[in-house]
Amino acid sequence: MRQYLDVKARYPDAIVFFRLGDFYEMFYEDATYVAKTLGLTLTTRDKGKEDPVPMCGVPHHAVRTYLVKLTELGHRVALCEQLEDPKVARGIVKRDVIRVVTPGVNLDEESLEPCEPSFVAAVAGDARRGFGLAFLDVTTGAFHATEAPTIDALVDELARAEPRELVLDANPLDDGELGTLLRRAYPRVPQARVPADAPREPDPAAASLRALLRGTFDVALAERAPWAVVAAAQVLAYAGATQPGATLPVSRLDLYHRSDTLVLDEQARAHLELTESLQTRRRAGSLIDVIDETRSAMGGRLLRRWLLFPLVDVPAIRRRHDAVERLVGAHEARDRARKHLGDVADLERLVGRARLGVASPRDLSVLGRSLARLPELVAALDDARAGELLGARDAADDLLRLGGGEDLAGDLAERLTSTLRADAPAVTKEGGYVNAGISDELDELAAIASGGREGLVAIEARERERTGVASLKVKFNNVFGYYIEITRSHLAKVEMPADYTRKQTVANAERFVTPELADFEQKILTADERRCALELEIFLHLRDEIAAAADRLLALAARVATVDALAGLAEVAHRAGYCRPVVDDSGVIDLADSRHPVVERLAAAGAFVPNDVRLDPAQEQVLIVTGPNMAGKSTLIRQVGLTVILAQMGSFVPARAARLGVCDRVFTRVGAGDNLARGESTFLVEMRETAHILRYATPRSLVILDEIGRGTSTYDGVSIAWAVAEHLHDRVGAKTLFATHYHELCALAGTHARVRNVSVAAREWKGEVVFLRKLAAGGASRSFGVEVAKLAGLPPAVVERARAILRTLESDGGARGDAPQPVAPANAEPAPQLGLFDAAGKQSPQQDTAADEVLATLRALDVDDLSPRAALDLLATLTKKLTEPG
Ligand code: ADP
Ligand code: MG
């Protein structure tokens, strides 16, 4: 128990899995907690003593599932192994922790998402001196760091790093602003503490990183981002402590500057459904799901990175477009390249496993065969290039360059495939993975083992003759080794030879050994033991060789990933009919026949109606998008955001033609009513996010506002929406798409030079609303609330009555009650800006208030959000209002 307590004292924040024979045991609080949480049987050690120790255990071969469950709950598990063979150890078997499995640091292939990184992130610094953020994927060695001047920027940046675990210094964690904020922003990301010996200040941090990263550490860059370096040193220290005795597979730190990327915060990522759908929180229905046609895990991860970190540098963006364009044009070569890419295993994670000393013979065998496929991939890419017109070729070359003198690690492929069998197992214990012809000694030992089998047959034949028992058998078991078995029925009939020694009596047979058999056994067993040891030696040597070549292999893996991501984008562009956007610094967004990539995919073929959209900071800076419920407003404004992101990540875009001035940031805000799925319907959140946009948007930003102001009363809502639009126009200058059902906002166009009204058209046809999905100039003149209500199944009598009331109200000349009504119909005179509500309110002295209320309710109704049950209830209330006056 002392040994256990020592280990536990060194890993107080972890649940200790203590290996005892075939089990991992837990003790004390660990045991009570885990037994309760995972439903294990709690027992006690030293029963009968005064305070028995609570204990529970899991079989060692089933440990995976328990590790998965515990890390999913946010725990860290320290695996304490036996370091000696208990059979040969004297005294207490030596044990120590060989690995700590945490939510962010997990090497288990099966619990890792192939196409997602597994980042553990650290945050350093403070509000006065700025913040640093670093995130590391231990499985691949991907390692990024950046700085953020404010907490807001830090939280935004952290969002797209998608950490599985967050490492914080103990102090701000306790009650500091940062700790509180991060806990609120990322309640579901488990948090851990920075190890005590990790650097807290820039100087020691830089020194420790430089020592680790040697030649690749950019001192000059690091000096400009001291807090990024501190965070990087901390995350390394944390991850390093989880792998005692191994070196982390990290050789490069990517220090990036936020302004070198299109900044996407948590709202944008969520509202634009970049990586998961808002409703289901699943990948299905997200942008990545539609555009990910990569064939390898590495390519999938890179594409995700491109999506979350789009570029802003025009030449760099064009380089990716060049490469995609080339691959779009070369159908046959692209198909072939993608087929080969599908045969390439996850080089990054395999190399990572080799470096951490956990790669199995199967891993390395797979690695070897993957590398051996690369020349075919290169040939396909060369063909894609050959089809190209002269002159246009160079730009794409550095992205698509796999061959042409580049390192394909052919030597390593050859070493691996010649050494390891293609069917190499995942465990080293029994050998059987090294090819013949690699080592003379190994071949000899193998010959003895197979000769042994012949020898056994010979012995068996001889003994049968000697005893006259035809059913005599030579057998083997783990306890006695080789023995001769004679069934009981024969025993009485024969005389046992003198050199037979009785070993064991079983139900219907006796077992014997002979000196000859014992000799033979000795020879085979030693040969077998020696063979396993020798295979292991060869394998470990090979693994070290691969680990030593990690930088070469990772550089190669990165090139393969790039090709895969580009080929995938080309495939999407081809299949979905995307066009190459013209990207420049103009600030203009001009889309012809633009579509929504995800809605289009889900719609029936050809059913999606494309639209032209133009935004120009000098002219059409703010577009007020009106139209009835369900017209397609949200879809339209989001598709512009998605198009910008796609273009800047290097993809073609869903449009007939597109010109895109590079944006520095895409902001989104979805009104509370549209955002119930996320469970954050409070008006406060809505306003906080809006404030965030107004504060940080620049003239180069794209702002997408969907029904803001909806989370409060109508007048408040209109007023806030109005003021926000005005501010974006007068002060911020950001390109803005503002979808709203407040027709009052259309009046802004009359008084503000760069505000334009557009509406998504709907027509009434024989009393039914028909959604045309077509964008037209001018504000929507009608909201079609009554027609939508009819669509939703309101009884004809109610619909008729509502229509009659609407007619009276409209002929009244804009009379109004509580409900907002169009102030500035299409192309009408701008409404007076002041007295917008007061004047309107005074114009309606007498009204049928009940009908008015019904109408107001119908207008404000979002049919999408209505369950059948709620619709029935609402209907009952409305009918009651109309039939029981007063
Ligand atoms: P709004 O925001 O105006 O209420 P949405 O944008 O939510 O409307 O669109 C409602 C539905 O109409 C969407 O679910 C989508 O399926 C469909 N839709 C939207 N735009 C189009 C379009 N351009 N072509 C075809 N269908 C569309
Ligand atoms: Mg909408």
Side-chain angles (χ1 to χ4, degrees):
M1 247 6 233
R2 174 160 322 133
Q3 198 182 29
Y4 171 81
L5 291 172
D6 280 350
V7 168
K8 182 69 193 175
R10 280 187 291 127
Y11 293 90
D13 296 339
I15 293 169
V16 173
F17 273 33
F18 195 71
R19 181 75 177 261
L20 286 171
D22 284 341
F23 279 79
Y24 288 104
E25 303 287 359
M26 283 147 275
F27 302 103
Y28 298 104
E29 292 87 27
D30 285 0
T32 18
Y33 172 79
V34 173
K36 188 164 134 245
T37 315
L38 303 187
L40 302 176
T41 315
L42 188 67
T43 56
T44 51
R45 194 180 162 85
D46 307 330
K47 270 202 191 75
K49 284 211 183 151
E50 259 171 49
D51 15 59
V53 178
M55 141 176 167
C56 71
V58 301
H60 80 99
H61 56 83
V63 68
R64 254 205 69 232
T65 38
Y66 299 100
L67 291 178
V68 169
K69 285 183 195 153
L70 287 173
T71 49
E72 269 171 7
L73 289 169
H75 297 294
R76 315 168 66 228
V77 179
L79 288 176
C80 182
E81 293 286 353
Q82 298 172 161
L83 300 181
E84 320 172 281
D85 189 339
K87 271 181 255 158
V88 297
R90 264 183 289 160
I92 290 181
V93 180
K94 244 172 72 190
R95 291 187 176 83
D96 208 346
V97 171
I98 53 142
R99 189 168 306 127
V100 184
V101 181
T102 82
V105 186
N106 189 342
L107 305 177
D108 179 47
E109 289 149 287
E110 286 174 55
S111 42
L112 289 167
E113 287 290 339
C115 292
E116 289 176 23
S118 174
F119 281 126
V120 48
V123 165
D126 56 44
R128 190 168 51 80
R129 297 181 292 177
F131 296 98
L133 161 70
F135 41 110
L136 168 68
D137 181 344
V138 173
T139 64
T140 60
F143 191 20
H144 311 275
T146 192
E147 292 216 320
T150 60
I151 284 198
D152 285 342
L154 175 73
V155 171
D156 289 348
E157 201 56 28
L158 201 51
R160 60 175 170 177
E162 309 184 290
R164 301 270 151 105
E165 189 174 13
L166 195 51
V167 184
L168 290 171
D169 200 353
N171 304 329
L173 184 67
D174 288 339
D175 50 9
E177 193 186 359
L178 180 61
T180 320
L181 199 94
L182 292 177
R183 256 196 304 273
R184 196 179 63 212
Y186 303 102
R188 278 179 304 185
V189 179
Q191 301 187 353
R193 294 190 162 196
V194 174
D197 56 355
R200 259 70 177 169
E201 294 292 324
D203 284 344
S208 80
L209 267 190
R210 186 160 7 160
L212 247 157
L213 303 175
R214 292 185 303 272
T216 65
F217 187 67
D218 187 336
V219 183
L221 197 60
E223 266 167 15
R224 270 180 279 139
W227 290 102
V229 170
V230 175
Q234 291 183 346
V235 79
L236 264 188
Y238 177 78
T242 64
Q243 315 290 320
T247 11
L248 285 184
V250 179
S251 34
R252 241 192 102 251
L253 172 63
D254 159 43
L255 264 180
Y256 70 95
H257 203 286
R258 265 165 53 86
S259 62
D260 293 338
T261 65
L262 170 72
V263 176
L264 292 170
D265 54 28
E266 172 63 12
Q267 277 69 46
R269 199 169 70 101
H271 296 157
L272 294 176
E273 310 191 292
L274 298 183
T275 54
E276 60 183 31
S277 125
L278 264 179
Q279 301 281 332
T280 62
R281 307 205 61 130
R282 297 262 165 80
R283 188 178 152 105
S286 69
L287 180 64
I288 187 90
D289 191 44
V290 169
I291 60 162
D292 187 355
E293 286 291 339
T294 60
R295 304 298 309 274
S296 74
M298 299 168 286
R301 286 193 300 270
L302 185 67
L303 190 79
R304 192 182 181 93
R305 184 163 176 80
W306 285 3
L307 172 62
L308 293 174
F309 295 81
L311 304 171
V312 291
D313 179 46
V314 173
I317 295 171
R318 287 190 187 147
R319 254 198 308 280
R320 285 189 194 163
H321 290 159
D322 283 343
V324 173
E325 185 168 16
R326 166 181 295 174
L327 293 169
V328 168
H331 295 283
E332 190 273 336
R334 181 180 75 240
D335 282 352
R336 217 155 15 103
R338 293 182 68 241
K339 186 173 140 303
H340 295 312
L341 283 162
D343 292 333
V344 180
D346 194 337
L347 304 179
E348 290 173 340
R349 284 195 171 147
L350 289 172
V351 172
R353 292 172 65 77
R355 283 175 120 183
L356 285 165
V358 296
S360 70
R362 188 195 302 165
D363 287 338
L364 292 196
S365 171
V366 167
L367 175 64
R369 274 175 293 144
S370 291
L371 292 174
R373 301 303 295 267
L374 294 182
E376 294 168 284
L377 175 59
V378 170
L381 292 173
D382 284 347
D383 288 353
R385 188 168 326 165
E388 191 92 342
L389 294 174
L390 273 156
R393 54 172 44 182
D394 298 325
D397 267 2
D398 53 332
L399 289 178
L400 293 180
R401 190 178 295 144
L402 267 181
E406 299 281 326
D407 179 14
L408 291 183
D411 52 333
L412 295 174
E414 160 63 23
R415 277 279 287 144
L416 288 166
T417 49
S418 66
T419 309
L420 294 175
R421 294 172 55 136
D423 61 353
V427 286
T428 51
K429 208 165 157 201
E430 288 178 2
Y433 43 83
V434 174
N435 273 323
I438 294 299
S439 147
D440 291 344
E441 190 185 350
L442 193 61
D443 293 348
E444 250 166 62
L445 293 166
I448 296 177
S450 60
R453 232 159 284 129
E454 286 160 26
L456 277 183
V457 176
I459 293 177
E460 196 172 71
R462 196 153 7 93
E463 295 302 325
R464 280 181 184 170
E465 200 160 310
R466 191 145 74 108
T467 55
V469 181
S471 66
L472 175 150
K473 282 203 177 69
V474 176
K475 290 184 164 180
F476 178 83
N477 75 21
N478 280 324
V479 183
F480 301 116
Y482 288 98
Y483 55 84
I484 291 167
E485 185 171 278
I486 299 178
T487 50
R488 199 166 296 284
S489 53
H490 289 94
L491 277 177
K493 298 182 207 149
V494 295
E495 190 170 326
M496 284 301 127
D499 58 354
Y500 271 43
T501 317
R502 191 178 304 253
K503 256 295 191 212
Q504 191 192 19
T505 307
V506 290
N508 53 6
E510 292 280 343
R511 294 170 173 179
F512 305 91
V513 289
T514 65
E516 185 197 24
L517 204 52
D519 261 8
F520 178 82
E521 175 182 321
Q522 193 54 35
K523 205 167 117 202
I524 290 191
L525 288 186
T526 13
D528 211 47
E529 246 168 54
R530 175 73 195 128
R531 179 182 60 84
C532 288
L534 192 59
E535 285 199 38
L536 186 63
E537 199 180 302
I538 292 171
F539 168 70
L540 291 180
H541 186 73
L542 191 60
R543 193 162 75 184
D544 287 346
E545 231 176 292
I546 296 301
D551 289 348
R552 267 176 80 194
L553 289 169
L554 288 179
L556 176 60
R559 295 203 303 278
V560 174
T562 305
V563 167
D564 193 14
L566 292 167
L569 289 177
E571 181 71 16
V572 178
H574 167 71
R575 278 197 214 166
Y578 290 4
C579 75
R580 175 177 179 153
V582 176
V583 173
D584 56 28
D585 278 319
S586 63
V588 173
I589 292 180
D590 198 352
L591 308 177
D593 283 346
S594 151
R595 288 119 53 200
H596 188 296
V598 181
V599 176
E600 164 182 64
R601 167 81 55 102
L602 300 176
F608 193 89
V609 180
N611 273 303
D612 297 346
V613 182
R614 187 181 159 86
L615 282 160
D616 179 347
Q619 292 169 31
E620 301 96 340
Q621 182 212 325
V622 177
L623 291 191
I624 306 285
V625 184
T626 47
N629 257 322
M630 289 297 287
K633 301 182 295 295
S634 300
T635 306
L636 180 91
I637 60 177
R638 283 184 176 130
Q639 84 195 30
V640 177
L642 292 174
T643 301
V644 166
I645 292 169
L646 281 171
Q648 290 185 224
M649 74 179 276
S651 170
F652 282 17
V653 298
R656 184 168 46 76
R659 177 176 176 208
L660 290 157
V662 163
C663 294
D664 62 355
R665 216 175 148 149
V666 174
F667 288 97
T668 64
R669 172 59 233 175
V670 175
D674 269 18
N675 204 13
L676 284 172
R678 258 182 123 69
E680 44 176 41
S681 60
T682 73
F683 181 59
L684 185 67
V685 175
E686 182 180 335
M687 285 302 110
R688 190 187 297 131
E689 290 176 11
T690 308
H692 188 75
I693 295 178
L694 296 185
R695 187 156 166 208
Y696 294 110
T698 77
R700 294 174 66 81
S701 306
L702 175 66
V703 176
I704 294 170
L705 299 172
D706 199 352
E707 309 276 14
I708 70 155
R710 221 200 215 193
T712 183
S713 75
T714 306
Y715 281 2
D716 280 353
V718 180
S719 313
I720 289 168
W722 182 287
V724 166
E726 214 168 48
H727 186 83
L728 284 164
H729 178 273
D730 297 348
R731 301 282 165 78
V732 179
K735 291 180 285 289
T736 304
L737 288 158
F738 199 142
T740 183
H741 66 287
Y742 295 136
H743 299 269
E744 286 84 349
L745 294 194
C746 293
L748 273 166
T751 48
H752 292 74
R754 297 179 307 282
V755 175
R756 298 284 184 277
N757 289 324
V758 291
S759 56
V760 192
R763 288 278 173 279
E764 195 182 334
W765 188 71
K766 291 190 185 164
E768 306 272 342
V769 59
V770 179
F771 294 116
L772 304 178
R773 315 273 183 224
K774 210 59 186 166
L775 202 61
S781 51
R782 302 193 42 194
S783 66
F784 292 95
V786 177
E787 284 76 10
V788 174
K790 182 179 172 193
L791 265 187
L794 237 61
V798 179
V799 174
E800 246 345 287
R801 174 75 181 127
R803 206 170 264 146
I805 296 164
L806 182 64
R807 267 195 300 276
T808 340
L809 289 177
E810 280 173 351
S811 59
D812 253 9
R816 55 180 53 248
D818 287 303
Q821 270 207 311
V823 164
N827 310 324
E829 293 258 329
Q833 202 188 331
L834 283 174
L836 189 64
F837 311 122
D838 300 353
K842 282 176 204 138
Q843 278 172 13
S844 48
Q846 224 118 81
Q847 293 207 350
D848 178 354
T849 45
D852 223 344
E853 263 176 60
V854 170
L855 206 56
T857 317
L858 290 181
R859 278 190 201 284
L861 197 63
D862 192 342
V863 183
D864 302 317
D865 286 354
L866 220 54
S867 70
R869 175 78 221 170
L872 268 181
D873 290 344
L874 179 66
L875 189 56
T877 331
L878 294 183
T879 325
K880 200 164 154 220
K881 268 213 182 91
L882 291 176
T883 48
E884 301 168 15

